[in-house]
Amino acid sequence: MAGLEFSNEQPNRSVTLRPVGPNDEALLLALYASTRADELALLSWGEEQQRAFVGAQFAAQQEHYQKLYPQAKHDIILAGDRPIGRLYVAWLDQEIRIVDITLLPDERSAGIGSYLLRGLLGEGARAGKKVRIYVESFNRSLGLFERLGFLRAEQRGIHVLMEHTPAAP
């Protein structure tokens, strides 16, 4: 498994990664909940119903990711020493699969995601591997992936496989 090397184009603050630990469960749940907030706002459910739904969906997602990518590297994204997101990446034989990248809502659109993704694209270029991620078709991050040179490779229901192929040597 490779490690992530960052470019010199760092955002305005120090961004680092550290492995997910047992004390990160609340942060991971909050990150997941932030990705479902728009969807849940359309429902007439009370807070308790929403919490139960998000908790169950988060647990199912974690189990799914661990089953599909047991060797994946799951990190907390830090700005300074403050946790602001997660990066979940599997280094596979033929590709680098971004399993998940999520930042807290207040940290989005500040260059942090682009910075981390460029680091992964650099890893892909050095290894001669495609970098891939599934993104929901309505997710605002699709534009970010397209700006970074990812192309739509396939669609499965609401999920779009975004793929970045390294330039030939």
Side-chain angles (χ1 to χ4, degrees):
M1 182 183 325
L4 184 60
E5 289 184 24
F6 296 114
S7 70
N8 291 331
E9 301 174 31
Q10 191 165 355
N12 293 339
R13 54 196 142 164
S14 174
V15 175
T16 58
L17 301 174
R18 71 156 169 79
V20 166
N23 295 331
D24 292 319
E25 192 70 23
L27 170 67
L28 294 173
L29 183 58
L31 286 163
Y32 179 77
S34 76
T35 68
R36 305 297 297 263
D38 291 343
E39 172 185 3
L40 291 172
L42 300 173
L43 303 174
S44 60
W45 294 354
E47 281 187 45
E48 190 172 316
Q49 281 180 297
Q50 289 184 23
R51 270 196 305 277
F53 174 78
V54 167
Q57 291 294 300
F58 173 69
Q61 181 193 65
Q62 290 297 97
E63 183 178 317
H64 176 73
Y65 287 169
Q66 290 168 3
K67 183 177 180 183
L68 280 181
Y69 307 106
Q71 301 302 320
K73 191 169 187 292
H74 192 190
D75 289 312
I76 296 297
I77 303 165
L78 301 168
D81 61 354
R82 191 169 54 85
I84 62 165
R86 82 167 177 173
L87 180 63
Y88 208 154
V89 180
W91 276 266
L92 306 173
D93 290 339
Q94 302 298 316
E95 70 181 83
I96 297 172
R97 174 61 59 108
I98 304 168
V99 179
D100 186 62
I101 180 170
T102 305
L103 294 167
L104 291 170
D106 290 346
E107 303 297 335
R108 296 175 189 161
S109 300
I112 296 166
S114 298
Y115 173 69
L116 294 167
L117 291 168
R118 284 189 185 101
L120 289 166
L121 293 177
E123 286 290 319
R126 284 187 285 285
K129 293 182 178 186
K130 293 179 180 186
V131 178
R132 292 179 170 157
I133 183 172
Y134 274 103
V135 181
E136 292 172 331
S137 58
F138 51 83
N139 191 308
R140 289 175 271 181
S141 68
L142 270 174
L144 168 62
F145 289 105
E146 289 171 336
R147 284 191 305 277
L148 292 173
F150 284 78
L151 300 175
R152 295 170 187 242
E154 158 184 312
Q155 182 140 4
R156 290 186 181 174
I158 63 167
H159 295 98
V160 179
L161 178 63
M162 301 298 291
E163 177 178 277
H164 187 281
T165 303

